[in-house]
Amino acid sequence: MVDQVIFHFFAALAVISAVLVVTRRNVVQSAIFLITALLATAGIFLQLHAEFLFIVQVILYAGGIMVLFVFVIMLINLDVSLHQVQFNRQWWLGLLLALVVGAQLVLAIVIGESKVSFGAPAPPTALEPSTQLVGHVLFGEYMLPFEIASILLLVAMIGAVVMAKKKI
Amino acid sequence: MLPIHVYLFLSLILFTIGAIGVVTRRNVIIILMSIELMLNAVNINLVAFSRLVGSAEGHAFAIFIITDAAAEAAVGLGIIIAFFRNRETLLGDEMDLMKW
């Protein structure tokens, strides 16, 4: 019961702020609502017993990446852009996308639930020392992808420095 | 936990909102933010299945996706700054230097 209330609260918060991110005219407001959406997702992670990911989401996503976004917005904020047309003429593509996904939803409800069975969920204690388990997976089986991810971060760092040079 | 399809629906809805943002908005920064939304929706999927199966592998993949999002935001925002310095605009449909 408590689980349900928590999930529905965070899910509604995430969906509403996601819609506001996409529809707001002002970029700064969009960024603020994106922070709300990310924090609501963090709440859903917590409800799914992913404590480590919850902290990573709050610190890295809502903290780090959003500071980067707001910083860039402040750097190149244009009053001009507030008076421009904000949507392009591809609304039919968006509508098509929404319709396809809506059809998928209906199909999944009607057909999927009776045919696909995932079995009972694992007991909540299965993911208990969250950080320890994630560490074991990350530094055991997924050691190579982990190192590749660090190389990716290095490349991204160099790319960002090159992009921000005076003359390009 | 709630039944798994509830989480899948939530993630599907968030992903669609992000995708609609990518195809319909003109401001490049908001397009980048919509991409972040889509990546985030995928993370919900991974964590929900991880909880269902009871193994932490989905969490590891979610961490990789967050790393990816960080790298993408850094490079993307760098590109936006360089573009803005050269063309004085933020509109995505005016980024047509390589179009012919």
Side-chain angles (χ1 to χ4, degrees), chain B:
Chain B
M1 86 183 272
L2 275 65
I4 185 78
H5 60 260
V6 179
Y7 297 98
L8 299 188
F9 289 163
L10 172 66
S11 133
L12 195 62
I13 290 168
L14 285 179
F15 190 88
T16 318
I17 293 173
I20 291 175
V22 170
V23 293
T24 58
R25 287 301 296 244
R26 292 175 84 205
N27 192 323
V28 199
I29 295 180
I30 293 187
I31 292 179
L32 260 185
M33 287 192 210
S34 304
I35 295 176
E36 300 287 334
L37 264 181
M38 291 161 74
L39 289 168
N40 208 49
V42 173
N43 272 349
I44 294 178
N45 248 348
L46 286 171
V47 175
F49 272 112
S50 204
R51 170 76 180 79
L52 181 79
V53 181
S55 95
E57 291 196 7
H59 295 189
F61 274 94
I63 288 174
F64 287 139
I65 290 182
I66 291 177
T67 315
D68 221 22
E72 174 241 313
V75 177
L77 290 171
I79 291 174
I80 290 176
I81 289 180
F83 181 77
F84 181 75
R85 203 178 279 146
N86 286 326
R87 301 280 294 266
E88 295 283 319
T89 178
L90 280 180
L91 296 181
D93 26 5
E94 291 183 14
M95 290 189 165
D96 50 4
L97 273 175
M98 296 175 79
K99 221 166 159 183
W100 61 284

Side-chain angles (χ1 to χ4, degrees), chain A residues 111-134:
Chain A
I111 306 172
E113 234 189 324
S114 57
K115 293 221 170 124
V116 185
S117 147
F118 290 108
T125 49
L127 292 169
E128 199 61 347
S130 177
T131 313
Q132 190 185 354
L133 282 178
V134 172

